[in-house]
Amino acid sequence: MSSKEQVFRVQGMSCANCAKTFENNIKRLKAVEQAKVNFAASKVSVLGEATVKDIEKAGAFENIKVIHEDGFDVDQQEPFLLRHFRLVFASMLITAAFIFIHWTGISKIATTLLLAAAILIGGINLFRAGIVNLTRLRFDMKTLMTIAVIGAAIIGEWQEAAIVVILFAISEALEAYSMDKARQSIQALMGIAPKQALIKRHGTEQLMDIADIQIGDIMLVKPGEKLAMDGVVMHGVSAINQAPITGESIPVEKNPDDTVFAGTMNQDGFLEIKVTKLAKDTTIAKIIHLVEEAQAERAPSQAFVDRFAAYYTPIIMVIALLTAIIPSLLTGNWSTWVYQGLAILVVGCPCALVISTPVAIVTAIGTAARNGVLIKGGIYLEEIGHIHSIAFDKTGTLTMGEPHVTDTVYFTDDPAQAFSMLAALENKSQHPLAKAILAHAETNHIPYKRVQVDHFSSLQGKGIHGMMNGEIIYAGSPKLFAELGLQKQLDEIATSISAFQAAGKTIMLLGTATEILLAVALRDEPRKESKAVISRLHQLGIQHSFMLTGDHPETAHALTDELAITDVKAGLMPAEKMDFIKQYEQRNGPIAMVGDGINDTPALAAATVGIAMGTAGTDSALETADVALMGDDLKKLPFTVQLSRRALTIIKQNIAFAIGMKLIALLLVIPGWLTLWIAIFSDMGATLLVTLNALRLLRKKGI
């Protein structure tokens, strides 16, 4: 019998190292086979039979509280100040002790007892973890702080020991607060979909919890209400605000048979919606899950920091030990140099360094998700920031994905009749251009449906023909009419045809065996934002932009010139697009590929970063893309590149600042100026500053 996986939400984890200790403690529980703590998302997954009480016992060193995910409510979390009551009380004891020392005649023993009480109350979690770490020879920041505080108490520095404990507790509280702020984008998504919905089942309307709603149920949504489930509109018309899913700021009109998503807002119409997914499988649920997993993924810079910290902490302990012993043996002044050694332990605490990268990664990925961009991990966030080349699929990515009639040139006195004959022929055709011809006819109210077509037939690779009013009418390429013997008339209109082809347009002619009646130019029009997006990417430092397409080279080059793309590869099959991406990476380095996530899958998979467009509700694209632009909006691409580069800059700033602050503080040992107060202030200050620096990414708005 396989064990059941349980997922719990966690409150009280103050740092990444605490999360690792918590995870190891859970793994030691008898009924647990495996455990994984996601510090970024404040979650723990447990494979086994552990209860909430068992897991909280494993987190007792940090006073960690857990709630089963099914019962988690983002609005009912424990208030921040209540979680840190011990810190507030210990601060009051220290304040009282300082008042007694400086303004009353109370005995030194009494003030020492007050300071000792403050140390125990404010540092209980610190000492629990630190002492356990010492017994297991695990040297992290809590181990260093525990040794420093105990050492300070032994040499009689009770005031400084108490201040160190309180400042360290404040530092951890600020770190926890900053991580809560970094997680707020995802927490906002978690609370965005209603927990209940009005369901019509077997003719009866009832308010039901989303966990009880089944596929096929009819959900009733009134104006101004949020949708609780994914589904398809059965009856009604309304505008839906899809910003939580796609990042679109403008509501989208929904008609019968249109797809709608949980968490979106119904604006002005009454809708009956057939539920198509269970609550755990809705698009918003998948986004939350994928973003939480992405936030837990270690980026390359974070892996570097973790490796550095693994060597850094033991080195600091050795330096502190040597500082305490060697000068003391030479001078006999043990008190001064032991104090300096303890100060080195405190200043060497790698809090700022450890938090410098994950808080930036979590914040950037959360900000991207809030703006309709799903980045699947820290590694992809960093890789986008390093990219200087981007390849685009053409159809559906740079263009609208559907051809449109752009020009009509008539060679007859009855234009309406000529186009109605063309539309009547195309109405019987399965050619990709037929839909564009019929759409143009409908838009211009051309009555093609009344035209009778007999003996319809297709001419392979050339066109179509049919009998109308006793005469055979042809529609097709210039090549077809050349074969019909109309080369002279083709020569007369060659200038117009060449101009259309130079603009990347496809030419369709209509006529009889003796004359050409109509020339139609069609083109898959570029998105209105494509040119501006390409220009913005080049401004952001993208040096090479490519268009990869299966279209004719002449059509592709015309569009490339119009959009100011640096290069084009035309006439490519999907496998050839993939080969181009692989060869480019080998010769020139990283390249991103942007496509619609379906026929471009091979190239997306081969690219350094695969970016799929318009993936809202598309399960396969959500699972396979490295980055998913949830809305069908190309403008999110420059935003993603800019956000990634900003995140990279902030990560580098944080790492440099965290290490620089430590080095400056350590240099104060030489003249003997380093005190425990300076040490803890430098550590706390560095932690606070790198955190605030990372939180600037929350202000990044979508473009």
Side-chain angles (χ1 to χ4, degrees):
M1 181 173 130
S2 62
S3 298
K4 179 184 176 184
E5 183 179 43
Q6 302 179 81
V7 180
F8 301 89
R9 295 283 169 178
V10 180
Q11 292 182 9
M13 280 193 302
S14 60
C15 65
N17 281 332
C18 307
K20 191 64 181 175
T21 302
F22 181 39
E23 180 177 283
N24 291 333
N25 289 350
I26 297 172
K27 289 177 180 178
R28 291 190 184 96
L29 297 174
K30 287 184 179 179
V32 172
E33 296 176 26
Q34 187 56 261
K36 182 181 180 183
V37 173
N38 184 334
F39 173 59
S42 285
K43 285 174 63 175
V44 56
S45 302
V46 179
L47 189 64
E49 302 301 323
T51 64
V52 167
K53 187 176 179 181
D54 294 331
I55 297 172
E56 286 189 342
K57 187 177 179 181
F61 71 94
E62 187 79 352
N63 198 28
I64 287 172
K65 302 296 181 186
V66 298
I67 306 164
H68 203 284
E69 189 171 48
D70 293 341
F72 179 77
D73 188 343
V74 73
D75 296 322
Q76 294 181 357
Q77 296 184 63
E78 190 177 18
F80 181 82
L81 287 177
L82 189 60
R83 278 185 272 161
H84 300 284
F85 173 74
R86 284 199 190 105
L87 169 60
V88 175
F89 186 54
S91 299
M92 292 169 64
L93 289 176
I94 290 177
T95 303
F98 271 75
I99 290 172
F100 292 154
I101 290 168
H102 295 288
W103 287 289
T104 71
I106 197 167
S107 70
K108 185 176 180 181
I109 294 175
T111 56
T112 300
L113 288 174
L114 278 175
L115 292 169
I119 290 169
L120 287 173
I121 293 169
I124 186 69
N125 292 339
L126 166 65
F127 300 140
R128 277 176 182 167
I131 291 169
V132 169
N133 287 345
L134 275 172
T135 61
R136 293 173 181 164
L137 298 179
R138 184 189 301 128
F139 299 104
D140 64 8
M141 63 186 74
K142 292 199 172 181
T143 313
L144 300 185
M145 295 302 296
T146 299
I147 295 171
V149 171
I150 293 173
I154 289 172
I155 64 175
E157 297 288 348
W158 288 97
Q159 293 180 49
E160 297 209 21
I163 292 294
V164 165
V165 166
I166 293 305
L167 291 179
F168 183 74
I170 291 172
S171 177
E172 287 211 315
L174 289 171
E175 187 177 328
Y177 176 74
S178 67
M179 286 304 296
D180 285 344
K181 290 289 289 181
R183 296 176 185 123
Q184 69 180 12
S185 297
I186 248 353
Q187 289 175 343
L189 287 178
M190 287 168 59
I192 209 161
K195 303 301 180 186
Q196 294 181 316
L198 184 62
I199 296 295
K200 185 167 72 175
R201 186 187 289 176
H202 307 307
T204 304
E205 295 181 10
Q206 52 188 313
L207 194 64
M208 299 180 66
D209 291 336
I210 58 174
D212 299 324
I213 298 174
Q214 301 172 4
I215 293 174
D217 282 341
I218 302 300
M219 179 172 63
L220 307 179
V221 186
K222 299 173 185 177
E225 290 184 342
K226 285 184 178 180
L227 279 64
M229 308 291 288
D230 283 12
V232 173
V233 177
M234 302 298 290
H235 300 289
V237 176
S238 183
I240 299 285
N241 184 345
Q242 298 189 145
I245 302 294
T246 64
E248 296 168 284
S249 57
I250 300 173
V252 178
E253 184 175 301
K254 296 291 182 178
N255 298 289
D257 297 328
D258 285 344
T259 301
V260 291
F261 307 110
T264 57
M265 175 70 79
N266 181 25
Q267 302 251 298
D268 49 23
F270 180 80
L271 296 175
E272 292 189 19
I273 297 166
K274 183 178 180 180
V275 175
T276 56
K277 293 180 180 179
L278 298 175
K280 64 183 178 67
D281 297 323
T282 60
T283 299
I284 191 74
K286 283 185 176 291
I287 291 172
I288 291 168
H289 172 72
L290 290 169
V291 171
E292 287 181 337
E293 292 300 308
Q295 289 177 329
E297 290 291 326
R298 292 180 182 272
S301 58
Q302 188 174 347
F304 159 75
V305 167
D306 291 344
R307 288 195 305 271
F308 181 84
Y311 293 102
Y312 167 84
T313 304
I315 290 170
I316 286 293
M317 292 194 70
V318 171
I319 292 173
L321 185 63
L322 294 175
T323 301
I325 293 174
I326 294 175
S328 298
L329 290 173
L330 294 174
T331 64
N333 190 354
W334 286 88
S335 177
T336 299
W337 290 105
V338 167
Y339 180 89
Q340 289 290 301
L342 294 175
I344 288 173
L345 283 183
V346 174
V347 81
C349 182
C351 298
L353 184 61
V354 170
I355 197 68
S356 62
T357 300
V359 71
I361 296 293
V362 170
T363 304
I365 289 176
T367 298
R370 194 175 68 241
N371 286 280
V373 178
L374 180 58
I375 301 175
K376 298 288 286 293
I379 185 171
Y380 304 115
L381 178 72
E382 289 199 15
E383 283 178 340
I384 296 167
H386 292 304
I387 289 291
H388 292 285
S389 301
I390 297 183
F392 296 87
D393 168 52
K394 181 181 82 73
T395 306
T397 301
L398 292 173
T399 67
M400 299 299 294
E402 294 181 355
H404 297 274
V405 174
T406 60
D407 303 272
T408 52
V409 181
Y410 296 95
F411 309 104
T412 173
D413 295 332
D414 194 347
Q417 183 184 16
F419 204 95
S420 66
M421 288 191 295
L422 175 61
L425 277 174
E426 293 294 350
N427 195 32
K428 294 182 177 293
S429 170
Q430 297 297 318
H431 193 275
L433 298 179
K435 185 178 178 181
I437 296 295
L438 297 177
H440 185 81
E442 294 283 357
T443 301
N444 291 277
H445 309 292
I446 297 173
Y448 67 92
K449 292 180 181 178
R450 292 182 292 185
V451 178
Q452 179 69 31
V453 179
D454 298 316
H455 309 299
F456 175 84
S457 179
S458 113
L459 304 168
Q460 189 66 37
K462 300 174 185 176
I464 53 179
H465 66 80
M467 184 77 73
M468 299 181 200
N469 298 323
E471 188 174 20
I472 297 177
I473 304 297
Y474 297 86
S477 65
K479 181 181 177 181
L480 169 62
F481 287 87
E483 292 180 1
L484 291 172
L486 299 178
Q487 187 60 52
K488 183 178 179 181
Q489 191 171 355
L490 285 172
D491 292 341
E492 292 173 357
I493 62 173
T495 302
S496 297
I497 291 175
S498 297
F500 289 145
Q501 289 176 335
K505 300 177 182 181
T506 300
I507 307 302
M508 181 183 293
L509 302 177
L510 177 84
T512 66
T514 59
E515 64 175 332
I516 297 172
L517 303 173
L518 167 65
V520 177
L522 304 97
R523 188 170 76 156
D524 181 7
E525 288 290 275
R527 294 173 182 268
K528 59 183 180 182
E529 69 270 20
S530 291
K531 185 172 183 178
V533 166
I534 299 298
S535 174
R536 179 63 181 142
L537 287 171
H538 288 163
Q539 290 173 9
L540 289 172
I542 299 300
Q543 298 166 0
H544 304 287
S545 54
F546 297 89
M547 184 171 72
L548 309 182
T549 178
D551 272 2
H552 190 276
E554 198 168 53
T555 302
H557 279 288
L559 185 61
T560 301
D561 294 340
E562 184 176 337
L563 300 182
I565 292 177
T566 56
D567 204 353
V568 61
K569 303 294 178 184
L572 300 179
M573 299 296 287
E576 292 172 319
K577 292 183 183 180
M578 179 185 70
D579 291 339
F580 169 80
I581 293 291
K582 285 183 175 180
Q583 290 169 13
Y584 186 89
E585 277 186 318
Q586 290 173 358
R587 292 194 306 265
N588 304 289
I591 183 172
M593 173 69 191
V594 187
D596 59 15
I598 302 171
N599 63 328
D600 297 307
T601 301
L604 290 172
T608 311
V609 182
I611 304 172
M613 279 190 60
T615 56
T618 309
D619 292 344
S620 59
L622 281 176
E623 294 293 341
T624 57
D626 300 327
V627 177
L629 308 183
M630 301 303 294
D632 198 23
D633 185 0
L634 201 59
K635 294 195 295 295
K636 295 186 186 301
L637 187 56
F639 158 72
T640 306
V641 172
Q642 192 172 5
L643 177 68
S644 300
R645 294 198 170 162
R646 188 64 177 150
L648 272 182
T649 299
I650 284 175
I651 288 170
K652 290 173 183 176
Q653 289 172 349
N654 282 355
I655 292 172
F657 185 77
I659 295 175
M661 283 284 285
K662 301 297 180 189
L663 291 174
I664 292 170
L666 287 172
L667 289 174
L668 296 179
V669 173
I670 297 171
W673 296 345
L674 182 62
T675 66
L676 285 173
W677 290 35
I678 291 175
I680 193 64
F681 267 118
S682 70
D683 180 69
M684 187 178 75
T687 301
L688 183 59
L689 287 173
V690 299
T691 300
L692 291 175
N693 192 34
L695 291 179
R696 289 191 297 134
L697 291 165
L698 285 174
R699 301 201 310 266
K700 193 70 188 172
K701 303 299 181 184
I703 295 175

